[in-house]
Coordinates of all heavy atoms in Angstrom, one line a residue:
M1 N -16.1 48.0 -0.4 CA -15.0 47.0 -0.4 C -15.4 45.6 -0.4 O -16.1 45.2 0.6 CB -14.0 47.3 0.8 CG -12.9 48.2 0.3 SD -11.4 47.6 1.0 CE -11.2 49.0 2.3
G2 N -15.2 44.9 -1.3 CA -15.6 43.5 -1.3 C -14.6 42.7 -0.6 O -13.4 42.8 -0.6
R3 N -15.2 41.8 0.2 CA -14.3 40.9 1.0 C -14.2 39.6 0.2 O -15.2 39.0 -0.2 CB -15.0 40.6 2.3 CG -14.3 41.4 3.3 CD -14.1 40.7 4.6 NE -15.2 41.1 5.5 CZ -15.6 40.3 6.5 NH1 -15.2 39.0 6.6 NH2 -16.6 40.7 7.3
R4 N -13.0 39.2 0.0 CA -12.9 38.0 -0.8 C -12.8 36.8 0.2 O -12.0 36.9 1.1 CB -11.6 38.1 -1.6 CG -11.9 38.6 -3.0 CD -10.8 38.4 -3.8 NE -10.7 39.6 -4.8 CZ -9.7 39.8 -5.5 NH1 -8.6 39.1 -5.4 NH2 -9.7 40.8 -6.4
K5 N -13.6 35.9 0.0 CA -13.5 34.7 0.8 C -12.8 33.6 0.2 O -13.4 32.9 -0.6 CB -15.0 34.3 1.1 CG -15.5 34.8 2.4 CD -16.6 34.0 2.9 CE -17.2 34.7 4.2 NZ -18.4 33.9 4.6
S6 N -11.5 33.7 0.3 CA -10.8 32.6 -0.4 C -10.0 32.0 0.7 O -8.8 32.1 0.7 CB -9.9 33.1 -1.5 OG -9.0 34.0 -1.0
K7 N -10.6 31.4 1.6 CA -10.0 30.6 2.6 C -9.3 29.4 2.0 O -10.0 28.7 1.3 CB -11.0 30.2 3.6 CG -11.2 31.2 4.7 CD -11.9 30.6 5.8 CE -13.0 31.6 6.4 NZ -13.9 30.8 7.2
R8 N -8.1 29.3 2.2 CA -7.5 28.1 1.7 C -6.9 27.3 2.7 O -5.8 27.5 3.3 CB -6.4 28.4 0.7 CG -6.8 28.3 -0.7 CD -5.7 28.6 -1.7 NE -5.6 27.6 -2.7 CZ -4.6 26.9 -3.1 NH1 -3.4 27.1 -2.5 NH2 -4.7 26.1 -4.1
K9 N -7.7 26.4 3.2 CA -7.3 25.5 4.2 C -6.8 24.2 3.7 O -7.3 23.7 2.6 CB -8.5 25.1 5.1 CG -8.7 26.1 6.2 CD -9.8 25.5 7.2 CE -10.4 26.7 8.0 NZ -11.6 26.2 8.6
G10 N -5.8 23.7 4.2 CA -5.3 22.4 3.8 C -6.3 21.4 4.3 O -7.3 21.8 5.0
A11 N -6.2 20.2 3.9 CA -7.1 19.2 4.4 C -7.1 19.1 5.9 O -6.1 19.1 6.5 CB -6.8 17.8 3.8
P12 N -8.3 19.1 6.5 CA -8.3 19.1 7.9 C -7.7 17.8 8.5 O -8.0 16.7 7.9 CB -9.8 19.3 8.2 CG -10.5 18.9 7.0 CD -9.6 19.2 5.9
R13 N -7.0 17.9 9.4 CA -6.4 16.7 10.0 C -7.4 16.0 10.8 O -7.8 16.4 11.9 CB -5.2 17.0 10.8 CG -4.1 17.4 10.0 CD -2.9 16.6 10.4 NE -1.8 16.9 9.4 CZ -0.6 16.5 9.5 NH1 -0.2 15.8 10.6 NH2 0.3 16.7 8.6
K14 N -7.8 14.8 10.3 CA -8.7 14.0 11.1 C -7.9 12.9 11.7 O -6.9 12.5 11.2 CB -9.8 13.3 10.2 CG -10.8 14.4 9.8 CD -11.9 13.7 9.0 CE -12.6 14.6 8.0 NZ -13.2 13.8 7.0
K15 N -8.5 12.4 12.8 CA -7.8 11.2 13.3 C -8.1 10.1 12.4 O -9.1 10.0 11.8 CB -8.3 11.0 14.7 CG -7.6 11.9 15.7 CD -7.8 11.5 17.2 CE -7.2 12.5 18.1 NZ -7.8 12.4 19.4
N16 N -7.2 9.1 12.4 CA -7.4 8.1 11.5 C -8.2 7.0 12.0 O -7.9 5.8 11.9 CB -5.9 7.6 11.2 CG -5.8 7.4 9.7 OD1 -6.7 7.6 8.9 ND2 -4.6 7.0 9.2
I17 N -9.3 7.3 12.4 CA -10.3 6.3 12.9 C -11.4 6.2 11.8 O -12.2 7.1 11.7 CB -10.9 6.6 14.2 CG1 -9.8 6.8 15.3 CG2 -11.9 5.6 14.6 CD1 -10.3 7.4 16.5
Q18 N -11.4 5.1 11.1 CA -12.4 5.1 10.1 C -13.4 4.0 10.4 O -13.1 2.9 10.5 CB -11.7 4.6 8.7 CG -11.1 5.8 8.0 CD -11.0 5.6 6.5 OE1 -10.8 4.4 6.2 NE2 -11.2 6.6 5.7
P19 N -14.7 4.4 10.4 CA -15.8 3.5 10.6 C -15.9 2.6 9.3 O -15.6 3.1 8.3 CB -17.0 4.4 10.9 CG -16.7 5.6 10.2 CD -15.2 5.8 10.1
L20 N -16.6 1.5 9.4 CA -16.9 0.7 8.2 C -17.9 1.5 7.4 O -18.7 2.3 7.9 CB -17.5 -0.6 8.7 CG -16.6 -1.5 9.5 CD1 -17.3 -2.7 10.0 CD2 -15.4 -1.9 8.6
P21 N -18.0 1.4 6.1 CA -17.1 0.5 5.3 C -15.9 1.3 5.0 O -15.8 2.5 5.1 CB -18.0 0.3 4.1 CG -18.9 1.4 4.0 CD -19.1 1.9 5.4
I22 N -14.9 0.5 4.5 CA -13.7 1.1 4.1 C -13.7 1.5 2.6 O -14.1 0.7 1.9 CB -12.5 0.2 4.4 CG1 -12.5 -0.2 5.9 CG2 -11.2 0.8 4.0 CD1 -11.7 -1.4 6.2
L23 N -13.4 2.7 2.3 CA -13.5 3.2 1.0 C -12.2 3.6 0.3 O -11.3 4.0 0.9 CB -14.4 4.5 1.1 CG -15.8 4.3 1.6 CD1 -16.5 5.7 1.8 CD2 -16.6 3.4 0.7
F24 N -12.2 3.3 -1.0 CA -11.0 3.6 -1.8 C -11.4 4.3 -3.1 O -12.5 4.4 -3.4 CB -10.3 2.3 -2.2 CG -10.0 1.5 -1.0 CD1 -10.7 0.4 -0.7 CD2 -8.9 1.7 -0.3 CE1 -10.4 -0.5 0.4 CE2 -8.5 0.9 0.8 CZ -9.3 -0.2 1.1
D25 N -10.4 4.9 -3.6 CA -10.6 5.5 -4.9 C -10.7 4.6 -6.0 O -9.9 3.6 -6.0 CB -9.4 6.5 -5.2 CG -9.3 7.6 -4.2 OD1 -10.2 7.7 -3.3 OD2 -8.3 8.2 -4.2
C26 N -11.6 4.8 -7.0 CA -11.8 3.8 -8.0 C -10.9 4.0 -9.1 O -10.6 5.0 -9.7 CB -13.3 3.9 -8.6 SG -13.6 2.8 -9.9
P27 N -10.2 2.8 -9.5 CA -9.2 2.9 -10.6 C -9.8 3.0 -12.0 O -9.2 3.2 -12.9 CB -8.4 1.6 -10.5 CG -9.4 0.6 -9.8 CD -10.3 1.5 -8.9
F28 N -11.2 2.7 -12.0 CA -11.8 2.7 -13.3 C -12.4 4.1 -13.6 O -12.2 4.7 -14.6 CB -12.9 1.7 -13.3 CG -12.3 0.3 -13.6 CD1 -11.9 -0.4 -12.5 CD2 -12.2 -0.2 -14.9 CE1 -11.3 -1.7 -12.7 CE2 -11.6 -1.5 -15.1 CZ -11.2 -2.2 -14.0
C29 N -13.2 4.6 -12.7 CA -13.9 5.8 -13.0 C -13.3 7.0 -12.3 O -13.6 8.1 -12.4 CB -15.5 5.8 -12.6 SG -15.7 5.5 -10.9
N30 N -12.3 6.7 -11.5 CA -11.5 7.7 -10.8 C -12.2 8.5 -9.7 O -11.9 9.6 -9.3 CB -10.8 8.6 -11.7 CG -9.7 8.0 -12.5 OD1 -8.9 7.2 -11.9 ND2 -9.6 8.2 -13.8
H31 N -13.4 8.0 -9.3 CA -14.1 8.6 -8.2 C -13.4 8.4 -6.9 O -12.8 7.4 -6.7 CB -15.5 8.1 -8.1 CG -16.5 8.9 -8.9 ND1 -16.7 8.7 -10.2 CD2 -17.3 10.0 -8.5 CE1 -17.7 9.5 -10.7 NE2 -18.0 10.3 -9.7
K32 N -13.4 9.4 -6.2 CA -12.8 9.3 -4.8 C -13.7 8.6 -3.9 O -14.9 8.8 -3.8 CB -12.5 10.7 -4.2 CG -11.5 11.5 -5.1 CD -10.1 11.2 -4.8 CE -9.2 12.0 -5.7 NZ -7.9 11.3 -5.8
Q33 N -13.1 7.7 -3.1 CA -13.8 7.0 -2.0 C -15.1 6.3 -2.5 O -16.1 6.3 -1.8 CB -14.1 8.0 -0.9 CG -12.9 8.8 -0.5 CD -12.0 8.1 0.4 OE1 -12.3 7.8 1.6 NE2 -10.9 7.7 -0.1
S34 N -15.1 5.8 -3.7 CA -16.3 5.2 -4.2 C -16.3 3.7 -4.1 O -17.4 3.1 -4.4 CB -16.6 5.7 -5.7 OG -15.5 5.2 -6.4
C35 N -15.2 3.1 -3.7 CA -15.1 1.7 -3.8 C -15.2 1.1 -2.3 O -14.4 1.6 -1.4 CB -13.8 1.2 -4.4 SG -13.7 1.7 -6.1
E36 N -16.1 0.3 -2.1 CA -16.3 -0.4 -0.8 C -15.6 -1.7 -0.8 O -15.9 -2.5 -1.6 CB -17.8 -0.5 -0.6 CG -18.4 0.3 0.3 CD -19.9 0.1 0.5 OE1 -20.3 -1.0 0.8 OE2 -20.7 1.0 0.2
A37 N -14.8 -1.9 0.2 CA -14.3 -3.3 0.3 C -15.0 -4.0 1.4 O -15.3 -3.5 2.5 CB -12.8 -3.1 0.7
K38 N -15.2 -5.2 1.1 CA -15.9 -6.1 2.1 C -15.1 -7.4 2.2 O -14.7 -8.0 1.1 CB -17.3 -6.4 1.8 CG -18.2 -5.2 2.1 CD -19.6 -5.4 1.7 CE -20.4 -4.2 1.9 NZ -21.6 -4.1 1.1
L39 N -14.9 -7.9 3.4 CA -14.2 -9.2 3.6 C -15.2 -10.2 4.2 O -15.7 -9.9 5.3 CB -13.0 -8.9 4.5 CG -12.0 -7.9 4.1 CD1 -10.8 -7.8 5.2 CD2 -11.4 -8.2 2.7
D40 N -15.3 -11.2 3.5 CA -16.1 -12.3 4.0 C -15.1 -13.4 4.5 O -14.7 -14.2 3.8 CB -16.9 -12.9 2.8 CG -17.9 -13.9 3.4 OD1 -17.7 -14.5 4.4 OD2 -18.9 -14.2 2.7
K41 N -14.9 -13.3 5.8 CA -13.8 -14.2 6.4 C -14.3 -15.6 6.5 O -13.5 -16.5 6.6 CB -13.4 -13.6 7.7 CG -12.8 -12.2 7.7 CD -11.4 -12.1 8.2 CE -10.9 -10.7 7.9 NZ -9.6 -10.4 8.4
V42 N -15.6 -15.7 6.5 CA -16.1 -17.1 6.6 C -15.9 -17.9 5.2 O -15.4 -19.0 5.2 CB -17.6 -17.0 6.9 CG1 -18.2 -18.5 7.0 CG2 -17.8 -16.4 8.3
R43 N -16.2 -17.3 4.2 CA -16.1 -17.9 2.9 C -14.7 -17.6 2.2 O -14.5 -18.0 1.1 CB -17.2 -17.4 1.9 CG -18.5 -18.1 2.3 CD -19.7 -17.8 1.3 NE -20.0 -16.4 1.2 CZ -20.6 -15.9 0.2 NH1 -20.9 -16.6 -0.9 NH2 -20.9 -14.7 0.2
K44 N -13.9 -16.7 2.9 CA -12.6 -16.4 2.5 C -12.7 -15.7 1.1 O -11.9 -16.0 0.2 CB -11.7 -17.7 2.3 CG -11.4 -18.3 3.8 CD -10.3 -19.3 3.6 CE -9.9 -19.7 5.0 NZ -10.9 -20.6 5.7
I45 N -13.6 -14.8 1.0 CA -13.7 -14.0 -0.2 C -13.6 -12.4 0.1 O -14.3 -12.0 1.1 CB -15.0 -14.3 -0.9 CG1 -15.0 -15.7 -1.5 CG2 -15.2 -13.3 -2.1 CD1 -16.3 -16.2 -2.0
G46 N -12.7 -11.8 -0.6 CA -12.7 -10.3 -0.5 C -13.2 -9.7 -1.7 O -13.0 -10.1 -2.8
R47 N -14.0 -8.7 -1.5 CA -14.7 -8.1 -2.7 C -14.7 -6.6 -2.6 O -14.9 -6.0 -1.5 CB -16.2 -8.6 -2.6 CG -16.9 -8.5 -3.8 CD -18.2 -9.0 -3.6 NE -19.3 -8.5 -4.6 CZ -19.5 -9.2 -5.6 NH1 -19.1 -10.4 -5.8 NH2 -20.3 -8.8 -6.5
V48 N -14.3 -6.0 -3.7 CA -14.4 -4.5 -3.7 C -15.3 -4.1 -4.8 O -15.2 -4.6 -5.9 CB -12.9 -3.9 -4.1 CG1 -13.0 -2.4 -3.9 CG2 -11.8 -4.5 -3.2
T49 N -16.2 -3.2 -4.5 CA -17.2 -2.7 -5.5 C -17.2 -1.3 -5.5 O -17.3 -0.6 -4.5 CB -18.6 -3.3 -5.1 OG1 -18.6 -4.7 -4.8 CG2 -19.5 -3.1 -6.2
C50 N -17.2 -0.8 -6.8 CA -17.4 0.7 -6.9 C -18.8 1.0 -6.9 O -19.6 0.4 -7.8 CB -16.7 1.1 -8.2 SG -16.9 2.9 -8.5
T51 N -19.2 2.0 -6.1 CA -20.7 2.3 -6.1 C -21.0 3.3 -7.2 O -22.2 3.6 -7.3 CB -21.0 2.9 -4.7 OG1 -20.1 4.0 -4.4 CG2 -20.9 2.0 -3.6
V52 N -20.0 3.7 -7.9 CA -20.3 4.7 -9.0 C -20.4 4.0 -10.3 O -21.4 4.0 -11.1 CB -19.2 5.8 -9.0 CG1 -19.5 6.7 -10.2 CG2 -19.3 6.6 -7.8
C53 N -19.4 3.2 -10.7 CA -19.4 2.5 -12.0 C -19.7 1.1 -11.9 O -19.8 0.4 -12.9 CB -18.0 2.8 -12.7 SG -16.7 2.0 -11.9
Q54 N -19.9 0.6 -10.7 CA -20.3 -0.8 -10.5 C -19.3 -1.8 -10.9 O -19.5 -3.1 -11.0 CB -21.6 -1.2 -11.2 CG -22.8 -0.2 -11.1 CD -23.2 -0.2 -9.6 OE1 -23.3 -1.2 -9.0 NE2 -23.3 1.0 -9.1
E55 N -18.1 -1.4 -11.1 CA -16.9 -2.3 -11.3 C -16.7 -3.0 -10.0 O -16.8 -2.5 -8.9 CB -15.7 -1.4 -11.6 CG -14.8 -1.7 -12.7 CD -15.2 -2.6 -13.9 OE1 -15.7 -2.1 -14.9 OE2 -15.0 -3.8 -13.7
F56 N -16.3 -4.3 -10.1 CA -16.0 -5.0 -8.9 C -14.9 -6.0 -9.2 O -14.6 -6.4 -10.2 CB -17.2 -5.6 -8.2 CG -17.7 -6.9 -8.9 CD1 -17.1 -8.1 -8.4 CD2 -18.5 -6.9 -10.0 CE1 -17.6 -9.3 -9.1 CE2 -18.9 -8.1 -10.6 CZ -18.4 -9.3 -10.1
F57 N -14.3 -6.4 -8.0 CA -13.2 -7.3 -8.0 C -13.4 -8.2 -6.8 O -13.7 -7.8 -5.8 CB -11.9 -6.6 -7.9 CG -10.7 -7.5 -7.8 CD1 -10.2 -8.1 -8.9 CD2 -10.1 -7.6 -6.5 CE1 -9.1 -9.0 -8.8 CE2 -9.0 -8.4 -6.4 CZ -8.5 -9.1 -7.6
Q58 N -13.1 -9.5 -7.1 CA -13.2 -10.5 -6.1 C -11.9 -11.3 -6.0 O -11.4 -11.7 -7.0 CB -14.4 -11.4 -6.3 CG -14.9 -12.2 -5.2 CD -16.3 -12.8 -5.5 OE1 -17.3 -12.1 -5.6 NE2 -16.2 -14.1 -5.7
T59 N -11.5 -11.6 -4.8 CA -10.4 -12.4 -4.7 C -10.4 -13.2 -3.4 O -11.2 -13.0 -2.5 CB -9.0 -11.6 -4.6 OG1 -7.9 -12.3 -4.8 CG2 -8.9 -10.7 -3.4
Q60 N -9.5 -14.3 -3.3 CA -9.4 -15.1 -2.2 C -8.7 -14.3 -1.1 O -7.7 -13.7 -1.4 CB -8.7 -16.3 -2.5 CG -9.6 -17.4 -3.3 CD -9.4 -18.7 -2.7 OE1 -8.3 -19.2 -2.4 NE2 -10.5 -19.4 -2.5
I61 N -9.1 -14.5 0.1 CA -8.4 -13.9 1.2 C -8.1 -14.9 2.3 O -8.6 -16.1 2.2 CB -9.3 -12.7 1.9 CG1 -10.6 -13.3 2.4 CG2 -9.5 -11.7 0.8 CD1 -11.3 -12.4 3.3
N62 N -7.3 -14.6 3.2 CA -7.1 -15.4 4.3 C -7.3 -14.5 5.6 O -7.7 -13.4 5.5 CB -5.7 -16.1 4.3 CG -4.6 -15.1 4.3 OD1 -4.6 -14.1 5.0 ND2 -3.6 -15.2 3.4
F63 N -7.0 -15.2 6.7 CA -7.4 -14.4 7.9 C -6.5 -13.2 8.2 O -6.8 -12.4 9.0 CB -7.4 -15.4 9.1 CG -6.0 -15.9 9.4 CD1 -5.2 -15.4 10.4 CD2 -5.5 -17.0 8.7 CE1 -3.9 -15.9 10.7 CE2 -4.3 -17.5 9.0 CZ -3.5 -16.9 10.0
L64 N -5.4 -13.1 7.4 CA -4.5 -11.9 7.6 C -5.0 -10.8 6.7 O -4.4 -9.7 6.8 CB -3.1 -12.3 7.4 CG -2.5 -13.1 8.4 CD1 -1.1 -13.6 7.9 CD2 -2.3 -12.4 9.7
T65 N -5.7 -11.1 5.7 CA -6.0 -10.2 4.6 C -6.8 -9.0 5.2 O -7.8 -9.2 6.0 CB -6.8 -10.8 3.5 OG1 -6.1 -11.9 3.1 CG2 -7.0 -9.9 2.3
E66 N -6.5 -7.8 4.8 CA -7.2 -6.6 5.1 C -7.8 -6.0 3.9 O -7.5 -6.3 2.8 CB -6.3 -5.6 5.8 CG -5.5 -6.2 6.9 CD -5.5 -5.3 8.1 OE1 -6.3 -4.4 8.1 OE2 -4.7 -5.6 9.0
A67 N -8.7 -5.1 4.1 CA -9.5 -4.5 3.0 C -8.5 -3.9 2.0 O -8.6 -4.0 0.8 CB -10.4 -3.4 3.5
I68 N -7.5 -3.3 2.5 CA -6.5 -2.6 1.6 C -5.8 -3.6 0.8 O -5.4 -3.3 -0.4 CB -5.5 -1.7 2.5 CG1 -4.6 -0.9 1.6 CG2 -4.7 -2.5 3.5 CD1 -5.1 0.2 0.9
D69 N -5.6 -4.8 1.2 CA -4.9 -5.8 0.5 C -5.8 -6.3 -0.7 O -5.2 -6.5 -1.8 CB -4.6 -7.0 1.3 CG -3.7 -6.7 2.6 OD1 -2.7 -6.0 2.3 OD2 -3.9 -7.2 3.6
V70 N -7.0 -6.4 -0.5 CA -8.0 -6.7 -1.6 C -7.9 -5.7 -2.7 O -7.9 -5.9 -3.8 CB -9.4 -6.9 -1.0 CG1 -10.4 -7.2 -2.2 CG2 -9.4 -8.1 0.1
F71 N -7.9 -4.5 -2.2 CA -7.9 -3.3 -3.1 C -6.6 -3.3 -3.9 O -6.6 -3.1 -5.1 CB -8.1 -2.0 -2.3 CG -8.2 -0.8 -3.2 CD1 -9.2 -0.6 -4.1 CD2 -7.1 0.1 -3.3 CE1 -9.2 0.5 -4.9 CE2 -7.1 1.2 -4.0 CZ -8.1 1.4 -4.9
N72 N -5.6 -3.6 -3.2 CA -4.2 -3.5 -3.9 C -4.2 -4.7 -4.9 O -3.6 -4.5 -6.0 CB -3.1 -3.7 -2.9 CG -2.8 -2.4 -2.2 OD1 -3.1 -1.4 -2.7 ND2 -2.2 -2.5 -1.0
D73 N -4.8 -5.8 -4.6 CA -4.9 -6.9 -5.6 C -5.7 -6.5 -6.8 O -5.3 -6.9 -7.9 CB -5.6 -8.0 -4.9 CG -4.7 -9.0 -4.2 OD1 -3.5 -8.6 -4.1 OD2 -5.1 -10.0 -3.8
W74 N -6.6 -5.7 -6.6 CA -7.5 -5.2 -7.7 C -6.6 -4.3 -8.6 O -6.6 -4.5 -9.8 CB -8.6 -4.4 -7.2 CG -9.7 -4.1 -8.1 CD1 -9.8 -4.7 -9.4 CD2 -10.7 -3.1 -8.1 NE1 -10.9 -4.2 -10.1 CE2 -11.4 -3.1 -9.3 CE3 -11.0 -2.1 -7.1 CZ2 -12.5 -2.3 -9.6 CZ3 -12.2 -1.3 -7.4 CH2 -12.8 -1.3 -8.6
I75 N -5.9 -3.4 -8.0 CA -5.0 -2.5 -8.8 C -4.0 -3.4 -9.5 O -3.8 -3.0 -10.8 CB -4.2 -1.5 -7.8 CG1 -5.3 -0.7 -7.0 CG2 -3.4 -0.6 -8.6 CD1 -6.2 0.3 -7.9
D76 N -3.4 -4.3 -8.9 CA -2.4 -5.1 -9.5 C -3.1 -5.9 -10.8 O -2.5 -5.9 -11.9 CB -1.9 -6.2 -8.7 CG -0.9 -5.7 -7.7 OD1 -0.5 -4.5 -7.8 OD2 -0.5 -6.4 -6.8
A77 N -4.3 -6.4 -10.6 CA -5.0 -7.1 -11.7 C -5.3 -6.1 -12.8 O -5.3 -6.5 -14.0 CB -6.3 -7.7 -11.1
C78 N -5.6 -5.0 -12.5 CA -5.9 -3.9 -13.5 C -4.6 -3.6 -14.3 O -4.7 -3.5 -15.5 CB -6.3 -2.6 -12.9 SG -7.9 -2.7 -12.0
E79 N -3.5 -3.5 -13.6 CA -2.3 -3.2 -14.3 C -1.9 -4.3 -15.2 O -1.3 -4.1 -16.2 CB -1.2 -2.8 -13.3 CG -1.4 -1.4 -12.8 CD -0.5 -1.0 -11.7 OE1 0.3 -1.9 -11.3 OE2 -0.7 0.2 -11.2
E80 N -2.1 -5.5 -14.7 CA -1.8 -6.7 -15.6 C -2.5 -6.7 -16.8 O -2.1 -7.2 -17.9 CB -2.0 -8.0 -14.8 CG -0.8 -8.4 -14.0 CD -1.1 -9.6 -13.0 OE1 -1.8 -10.5 -13.5 OE2 -0.6 -9.5 -12.0
E81 N -3.8 -6.2 -16.7 CA -4.7 -6.3 -17.9 C -4.2 -5.3 -19.0 O -4.4 -5.4 -20.1 CB -6.1 -6.1 -17.6 CG -6.8 -7.4 -17.2 CD -8.2 -7.1 -16.8 OE1 -8.9 -6.2 -17.3 OE2 -8.7 -7.8 -15.9
N82 N -3.6 -4.2 -18.5 CA -3.4 -3.1 -19.4 C -1.9 -3.3 -20.0 O -1.0 -3.4 -19.3 CB -3.4 -1.7 -18.7 CG -4.9 -1.5 -18.4 OD1 -5.8 -1.8 -19.1 ND2 -5.1 -0.7 -17.3
Ligands
ZN101 ZN1 -15.7 3.4 -10.3

């Protein structure tokens, strides 16, 4: 009798504590968690770079800007282009 190992677990619930860097899905190559967001608060520059396709986006930030905001700006910019 063959035992079938088809465990189907839902995504394990992790606590929402994310260490740096913050990762997002890439809108260009669609890789999951391949985009790294970095905020340079000194120079007021936010930058998201995809480690897979090397696509990147840079925008001005302020002291309230979070990594997700930079990423959202990137998505907006992509949509405007298309
Ligand atoms: Zn990419």
